[in-house]
Amino acid sequence: MSVDGWNTVLVLGGTRSGKSEFAESLVTDAPVVRYLATAPEGDPEDTEWATRLAAHRARRPGSWTTEETAAEPRRLADVLASAEPNETLLVDDLGGWVTVLLDPDHQPADDVATIAELAEAVRTCSARVVLVSPEVGLSLVPTTPLGRAFTDALGAANRAVADACDAVALVVAGQPVWLKPAATTIPSAAPATTTAPAAPATTTAPAAPATATAPVVASLDDAEPTPEVQLPEVLTHTPPVAPNQEPGNPWAAPTMALPMVATGLVIQQGMELPMPDEYAGPQAVDRLATLDVPGAGLGVLDRVVGFAAATQGTSTPQAWGPVRVLLLHGDHAGGSSAGTVAGESARRAAQARAGRGALARLAAESGASLQVVDTPTAAPIEDQPALSLEQVESALRYGWRLAEQAADAGVQLLVLGACGAGTEAAAAAVLAATAGAEPPAVLGRVITDSGEIDDAAWMLRCAAVRDALHRTRRSPRGAKDILAELGGGDVAVATGVLLGATARRVPVLLDGPVGLAAGMVSRDLAGQARHWCLLADHGGHPAVRLAADVLGLTPLLDLRLDLGEGANALAALPLLRSVLALAAALPVHPSLGGDEEPNPAPDEPEPAYAEPDFTAPEFAEPDFTEPEPAGPGPASTGADEQPASGWRAG
């Protein structure tokens, strides 16, 4: 179960609150789930109820088995009592169970005893159990005797089962709030400032201001996974410290209501993160058809306006302001990096830190800040896991914190790229594990520095991915397992960035295989993350094409740019900004009720013009004397250089 340490969970919620979907997300990591359906079939002529039941059935994976318990209320307790420790059960829901319990066919009966029997079965059940139930305590008292009997019985059942369960969650408008376990004192090392496990934190402390001293680059390879550390320094605006806030606490930013434990944020499957505004995007695109333009409009670039409108929550989105580029630098050992020059990725990272190269120059042109993030080197995936599970947890939290830091600095758009050796093979392995892709079909050709195609290196990469998939053929296919076995540090950090940016409602411009591979993994942790991603150009890369198709991301351009991850997106960024600025500034066409600039009044006098002077201008005689030598000027300070962002264990 995705909720670590909890064997039984009760999920409460109102009608259409999303309680069933949240409960289903808690058991997605189970290979087989026994779905216990408690609701009776109902009136055959009630098509609306039949449609609801059909929707529930269609949502269940094919590996789940369904058992009906509506015939006998006491059968549910018997199933729970006989469940094996290796089983996972999902009961949906107790409202249907109470309906059957109160049915005249099962009366007279001792309802209190039956509810107590169910609660005891939940308490002693050795299997993992998730129960769904309607929360009726917030509604009005029913006006009918039968309605009051149902409310009383269901309220009693909810209280008894909640007392028996290890954890209880309340889902309101699709957002889960954890009510149990009871609030406990969080140790001082815990990043949350509240004692409740589901409570969101307060305001984030700003990043430490950058200094002129050379930064220290750390590595995660030998790091301890538990302690949280301060984020690396970044040359960006430092927000003021909020009142009553400890500056040293990096985990004080408001985010989604996620489970918190003593070691920090729990990144798990089935997280409920925010979605973009589903109405603002279509409204913005419809508005484009009314603008005063001489031609047919923006063409396929209207998708940029729709995306920006949805992520900004307005039908008139503005061009993105502060932009930050996150360049992830982490190599992959073994056959994944076949054909690459040793030390080339480190040279590219150092070049970006020094403000040189295509990426740094394009970032300067776009007014974007650039942060180079060192990630741990991945082991040869053909022989062993790329990372340990502890390193994956640290990498996910680290990426989340990078996104949090960017949001706190006022960044409105993140650009995600990577420059490590072997990233394409790692991305291909992730795609093969998540989308069933064939490695040769998603591995691009290997091009040497001289522009030649290295088929031998390409075959070595294919063999490395093939052997890695064979080695992990019986391994779990959970998101964290894939990152540990195949993905590596850069893909794991990129996944954390996508999740953190989604939680803080910051859109991400993807560029290259690493970002798309992270998108494939993040959808299993929080399906909302892909809706905050934008792809400017696929660059002709087969892995990017496939992942974009699976994620539903249509590239905006087809320029086949290959300037390096991050640089391709920055090259397209001015065009995207221009589209947004134009869409926001243009008025509505006058024929559709828009305002038009008034013409000059008929009796307004014509402007007077001075008579032109055609006399030849006079020129001063040039002075060809030798100039005095200039004194030494000020040396370049290199103020545009960015410090390296070191990796510290999280």
Side-chain angles (χ1 to χ4, degrees):
M1 186 174 301
S2 299
V3 185
D4 297 335
W6 298 337
N7 200 56
T8 52
V9 180
L10 174 63
V11 179
L12 299 169
T15 304
R16 297 298 192 189
S17 63
K19 59 184 183 297
S20 294
E21 291 89 337
F22 176 71
E24 292 165 6
S25 71
L26 295 178
V27 297
T28 53
D29 58 346
V32 178
V33 175
R34 293 175 63 186
Y35 187 97
L36 303 180
T38 63
E41 289 294 335
D43 187 353
E45 298 182 358
D46 190 347
T47 58
E48 192 273 337
W49 179 251
T51 302
R52 290 196 181 199
L53 294 180
H56 274 260
R57 296 189 184 101
R59 208 167 53 225
R60 303 168 199 164
S63 59
W64 292 13
T65 60
T66 302
E67 300 181 30
E68 303 284 347
T69 63
E72 172 55 48
R74 284 186 171 82
R75 184 170 181 273
L76 179 59
D78 296 337
V79 173
L80 294 175
S82 61
E84 298 295 332
N86 60 341
E87 290 185 307
T88 300
L89 279 63
L90 176 57
V91 181
D92 195 359
D93 64 4
L94 294 184
W97 181 79
V98 170
T99 300
V100 176
L101 179 64
L102 299 180
D103 191 284
D105 293 341
H106 301 102
Q107 298 294 330
D110 190 345
D111 301 339
V112 176
T114 306
I115 292 174
E117 179 184 349
L118 174 64
E120 184 62 24
V122 172
R123 182 177 287 106
T124 60
C125 183
S126 58
R128 300 187 298 176
V129 183
V130 176
L131 302 101
V132 183
S133 183
E135 174 51 56
V136 296
L138 303 179
S139 60
L140 299 175
V141 177
T143 59
T144 63
L146 184 59
R148 289 191 292 272
F150 175 81
T151 301
D152 293 343
L154 183 56
N158 286 345
R159 292 182 59 182
V161 173
D163 182 69
C165 284
D166 301 324
V168 180
L170 174 65
V171 181
V172 180
Q175 308 303 313
V177 179
W178 292 94
L179 309 178
K180 185 183 177 181
T184 56
T185 302
I186 300 296
S188 59
T193 58
T194 179
T195 58
T202 54
T203 309
T204 294
T211 63
T213 58
V216 179
V217 179
S219 173
L220 184 69
D221 293 341
D222 303 320
E224 293 290 335
T226 302
E228 297 288 341
V229 298
Q230 198 69 22
L231 284 172
E233 296 175 348
V234 185
L235 290 179
T236 52
H237 168 67
T238 301
V241 178
N244 302 323
Q245 175 187 335
E246 297 181 6
N249 181 6
W251 278 106
T255 179
M256 300 304 296
L258 298 175
M260 304 292 294
V261 296
T263 56
L265 176 72
V266 178
I267 298 179
Q268 61 186 15
Q269 287 185 327
M271 291 189 298
E272 290 290 336
L273 300 183
M275 282 283 290
D277 193 319
E278 61 178 322
Y279 301 107
Q283 290 172 357
V285 174
D286 293 342
R287 177 180 172 274
L288 293 178
T290 67
L291 298 183
D292 187 8
V293 293
L298 298 175
V300 297
L301 292 179
D302 61 357
R303 294 198 299 267
V304 181
V305 180
F307 174 82
T311 53
Q312 295 178 22
T314 174
S315 59
T316 55
Q318 302 298 314
W320 296 298
V323 177
R324 177 171 296 181
V325 183
L326 295 178
L327 182 65
L328 309 181
H329 171 230
D331 293 338
H332 297 257
S336 297
S337 58
T340 58
V341 179
E344 177 65 13
S345 65
R347 186 183 74 85
R348 293 292 183 188
Q351 188 182 59
R353 291 189 181 102
R356 301 190 304 270
L359 180 63
R361 294 181 182 275
L362 286 170
E365 289 290 334
S366 302
S369 60
L370 173 59
Q371 183 176 4
V372 182
V373 181
D374 286 326
T375 65
T377 300
I381 58 176
E382 61 267 34
D383 300 326
Q384 63 190 85
L387 297 176
S388 66
L389 286 174
E390 291 79 11
Q391 287 178 310
V392 169
E393 292 286 354
S394 295
L396 288 171
R397 291 198 299 269
Y398 185 72
W400 185 296
R401 295 169 63 197
L402 289 172
E404 289 262 359
Q405 186 191 40
D408 294 332
V411 171
Q412 298 180 6
L413 178 70
L414 282 173
V415 177
L416 191 57
C419 66
T423 57
E424 294 184 358
V430 171
L431 282 175
T434 56
E438 291 292 334
V442 292
L443 268 173
R445 308 298 293 269
V446 180
I447 309 297
T448 64
D449 292 339
S450 59
E452 298 178 352
I453 296 177
D454 191 345
D455 286 333
W458 178 81
M459 288 187 286
L460 288 175
R461 295 185 184 185
C462 289
V465 176
R466 177 204 61 197
D467 294 344
L469 295 174
H470 179 75
R471 178 181 61 80
T472 61
R473 64 190 182 280
R474 293 187 177 90
S475 300
R477 282 295 186 255
K480 296 179 182 179
D481 300 299
I482 291 175
L483 291 174
E485 294 286 351
L486 306 171
D490 49 2
V491 181
V493 172
T495 303
V497 169
L498 295 183
L499 296 174
T502 300
R504 295 301 297 271
R505 301 178 183 270
V506 178
V508 182
L509 189 57
L510 300 179
D511 189 2
V514 170
L516 272 298
M520 294 292 295
V521 177
S522 66
R523 67 173 185 162
D524 294 331
L525 295 170
Q528 302 86 359
R530 67 183 180 90
H531 297 283
W532 294 87
C533 297
L534 186 66
L535 181 61
D537 190 2
H538 56 69
H541 199 288
V544 175
R545 285 177 178 270
L546 175 63
D549 184 62
V550 174
L551 295 173
L553 302 177
T554 303
L556 300 172
L557 308 173
D558 189 11
L559 302 178
R560 298 180 181 270
L561 295 175
D562 194 9
L563 302 172
E565 291 195 26
N568 303 320
L570 287 178
L573 182 58
L575 174 61
L576 306 185
R577 276 175 160 171
S578 299
V579 167
L580 294 177
L582 187 65
L586 284 177
V588 176
H589 196 278
S591 63
L592 299 175
D595 296 331
E596 187 175 12
E597 295 183 4
N599 295 322
D603 56 349
E604 185 176 329
E606 294 185 359
Y609 296 96
E611 191 70 22
D613 184 7
F614 295 102
T615 59
E618 296 182 359
F619 296 95
E621 190 69 23
D623 185 6
F624 295 101
T625 59
E626 188 71 22
E628 293 290 334
S636 174
T637 60
D640 292 335
E641 295 184 5
Q642 283 283 347
S645 293
W647 175 278
R648 301 184 179 98

